[in-house]
Amino acid sequence: MKKTQILGAMLAFSLAGTLTACSGSNGSGSGTSEAADKNVRVWFMEGSISEDAQKYLKEEFEKQNPGAKLTVEIQPWPGIVAKLQTSLASKTESPDLVETGNTQSATFTTVGAFADVTNLKEKLGGKDLIPSFVDATTVNGKIYGYPLYAGARGVYYRKDLFQKAGIEVPQTIGDFKNAVIKLQEANPEGVEGFSGMYLAAVDGHGVESVLFADGFDYAKLENGKWKSLVTSPESMEALNMLKDLFEKGTKFGLDSQAGQKSFERNFNDGKTGVLVGTGNIGVKIDKKLWDEGKVGVFALPSKTPGVAGATFAGGSNISMAKNAQNPELAAKALEVIFSKGFQELIAKDGWVPGNLKYADSVSGPFGEISQQIVANTKLTPNTPQWGVAADDGAVNDFFTRIAKGEDLQKTANDFSQMLEKELNSGN
């Protein structure tokens, strides 16, 4: 679905939501707990929640609510904005609970797609819930979603390959670029097609993390209007670094979406020595590599030695649909999601759980640096227009043009002009 179609449909959905709100639903959903055979449908995104956690949620919910059922439906990320727009607007097809990426949450929160769940805050964790994520789903003092997990991004690297190539753990982002390029040139084990790091244009948040650490920014809000920062001196310096990495530090710049979904396999197979990934990637890295002491982790550095750089604050929120079929039971499911058992399973999978009370349960060495990384994370522009623009592929197209080696200044100018226009399209 094209951007203009999505925005137009959202406007229609917003008007429909206003009419629904005026009908006396009291913000708790338009269905009843007797509807749909008491089956609570939960949409989680692909790669977010492990099968163990899904199983726990289903079993615990059904144990606590005899006669009710819970069904988890996994959704792919590509095209999710358009799919959500269609599904959430339907009074018969809408899921009950929906995961949205934190860059997409504002898109639906602001058009009335989600139910007001302010009254659940204390029951779900209160002040222990990730504050910035709660803020992102708060409109006019009412809360329309809660933090499911945060995906802090750090660096996984092959310690043995660094040692063989004579490379120290980088202390600045410039050192990081040089280390990756040097590692690719050295190819310590003589692997055919060896890549210094995995860096793909389609892995937008991975690319953003490297850029943010070097001072890149998309835009800032000035006097009620968004001003692009893509071509600022600081951003252009970061984009030049990215260009160097695509040219000399990776062989995966033009990898496919399908390839990116399991990018850790290249690390496990010895085809690359560096990954930028979230905490859950650690559990996907070959256990043998961990056991042999060949894997290390560190925070992406900034321009200042010893200081962690800003990385993309990935993660998701969980919301109750305005058109939920079973709102009362959906609220009960939220209670299970934010319970100790489920939150600790999220942490076990490497995510920083939405309730920071359980953040010390994040598994593995990555858990030791996750708090440091989270403290320095950064978000993309917090506006509904960003969620639509990102889903329309504009950001990936921008990175892909750089990966292809197109003229950097022209590419940046084109994207900057488009971005400023689109971010202000709702004004």
Side-chain angles (χ1 to χ4, degrees), residues 167 173-183 185 245:
I167 300 172
I173 191 65
D175 293 342
F176 175 78
K177 181 194 79 170
N178 294 333
V180 167
I181 292 174
K182 183 177 179 180
L183 184 62
E185 291 174 347
L245 285 172

Side-chain angles (χ1 to χ4, degrees), residues 253-318:
L254 298 177
D255 198 12
S256 65
Q257 287 277 4
Q260 189 275 326
K261 286 180 180 178
S262 54
F263 74 123
E264 71 281 348
R265 76 186 188 285
N266 299 297
F267 192 89
N268 290 336
D269 293 342
K271 294 180 179 178
T272 187
V274 175
L275 297 179
V276 173
T278 49
N280 69 316
I281 297 300
V283 300
K284 298 180 181 179
I285 289 176
D286 194 332
K287 186 175 182 297
K288 183 179 179 182
L289 291 175
W290 285 111
D291 291 344
E292 293 176 349
K294 293 181 177 180
V295 183
V297 296
F298 61 86
L300 262 171
S302 65
K303 292 182 178 181
T304 304
V307 176
T311 53
F312 175 75
S316 288
N317 296 301
I318 186 83

Side-chain angles (χ1 to χ4, degrees), residues 42-58 70 72-75 77 98-100 146-150 280 283-284 315-318 336-338 341-354:
V42 181
W43 279 18
F44 285 140
M45 298 306 299
E46 188 175 29
S48 290
I49 306 301
S50 69
E51 290 185 3
D52 284 347
Q54 292 175 41
K55 181 180 178 183
Y56 177 89
L57 172 60
K58 178 178 174 61
L70 184 143
V72 172
E73 300 172 20
I74 303 300
Q75 305 298 325
W77 285 103
V98 180
E99 173 189 349
T100 53
Y146 289 101
L148 183 59
Y149 63 84
N280 69 316
V283 300
K284 298 180 181 179
S316 288
N317 296 301
I318 186 83
V336 178
I337 288 172
F338 286 92
F342 189 85
Q343 292 285 294
E344 289 185 343
L345 283 171
I346 290 178
K348 179 182 177 183
D349 292 330
W351 300 118
V352 177

